[in-house]
C-alpha cells in the first residue's frame, strides 16, 4: 500500500468506532477488528490514534497475528512523521565499554595461553 498517512490524520481516529493505529510505520484501521481482538478491546483502544509499535512488540505477537494485520493495512506513515532512531550517550558508552571489555578478555586469554 503506497498511500501516505500523516500522524495528524491518525490522531483523529482515536475512538472505538473509528480506530486507527500505527505499527512499525504502517497505518491500520482496526475498527472492524476491535471486537475480534484476542487481547481484548481495551488493548486496542489504549493505542487508538497513535503509534502502538512498542505495545505490539512487547506482547510478542505471532506470525499469524502479523498475517491477520495485513487485511487492515490502509497505508504507510508519512515519511515526515517517521522518527529516526537516535544514538545517545548511553548507547555510545555501552558500546565503548563492551569493546574495552572484549579487548581485555582477549588479552587475558592470550596471556593465559602463553603461560601454558
Amino acid at each position: 500500500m503506497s498511500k501516505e498517512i500523516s500522524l495528524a490524520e491518525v490522531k483523529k481516529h482515536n475512538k472505538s468506532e473509528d480506530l486507527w493505529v500505527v505499527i512499525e510505520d504502517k497505518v491500520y484501521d482496526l475498527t472492524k477488528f476491535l471486537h475480534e481482538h484476542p487481547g481484548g478491546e481495551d488493548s486496542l483502544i489504549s493505542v487508538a490514534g497513535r503509534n502502538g509499535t512498542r505495545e505490539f512488540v512487547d506482547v510478542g505477537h505471532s506470525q499469524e497475528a502479523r498475517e491477520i494485520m495485513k487485511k487492515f493495512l490502509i497505508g504507510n506513515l508519512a515519511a515526515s512523521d517517521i522518527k529516526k532512531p537516535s544514538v545517545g550517550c548511553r548507547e555510545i558508552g555501552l558500546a565503548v565499554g563492551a569493546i574495552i571489555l572484549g579487548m581485555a578478555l582477549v588479552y587475558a586469554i592470550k596471556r593465559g595461553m602463553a603461560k601454558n
Side-chain angles (χ1 to χ4, degrees), residues 18-66:
D18 182 21
L19 196 155
W20 291 10
V21 177
V22 176
I23 298 173
E24 296 174 342
D25 300 329
K26 305 234 181 275
V27 181
Y28 298 88
D29 180 349
L30 300 179
T31 309
K32 293 180 181 174
F33 184 65
L34 183 64
H35 302 297
E36 300 172 33
H37 186 248
E41 296 176 15
D42 290 342
S43 59
L44 290 181
I45 292 170
S46 70
V47 294
R50 66 180 187 86
N51 193 326
T53 301
R54 179 177 293 146
E55 291 84 351
F56 181 83
V57 171
D58 286 351
V59 169
H61 284 83
S62 66
Q63 189 57 41
E64 181 183 0
R66 290 179 179 275

Side-chain angles (χ1 to χ4, degrees), residues 6-111:
S6 71
L7 191 55
E9 181 63 28
V10 172
K11 288 179 179 182
K12 296 176 187 176
H13 303 271
N14 61 1
K15 305 278 188 268
S16 60
E17 58 278 352
D18 182 21
L19 196 155
W20 291 10
V21 177
V22 176
I23 298 173
E24 296 174 342
D25 300 329
K26 305 234 181 275
V27 181
Y28 298 88
D29 180 349
L30 300 179
T31 309
K32 293 180 181 174
F33 184 65
L34 183 64
H35 302 297
E36 300 172 33
H37 186 248
E41 296 176 15
D42 290 342
S43 59
L44 290 181
I45 292 170
S46 70
V47 294
R50 66 180 187 86
N51 193 326
T53 301
R54 179 177 293 146
E55 291 84 351
F56 181 83
V57 171
D58 286 351
V59 169
H61 284 83
S62 66
Q63 189 57 41
E64 181 183 0
R66 290 179 179 275
E67 287 298 316
I68 292 169
M69 286 172 54
K70 290 179 182 179
K71 294 189 293 187
F72 302 100
L73 179 66
I74 58 172
N76 295 313
L77 187 61
S80 59
D81 289 323
I82 295 174
K83 293 182 180 176
K84 306 279 187 275
S86 62
V87 178
C89 292
R90 181 176 182 271
E91 289 82 7
I92 293 171
L94 288 172
V96 169
I99 291 168
I100 291 170
L101 184 60
M103 291 171 57
L105 185 59
V106 167
Y107 174 78
I109 290 171
K110 285 185 176 183
R111 189 167 183 201

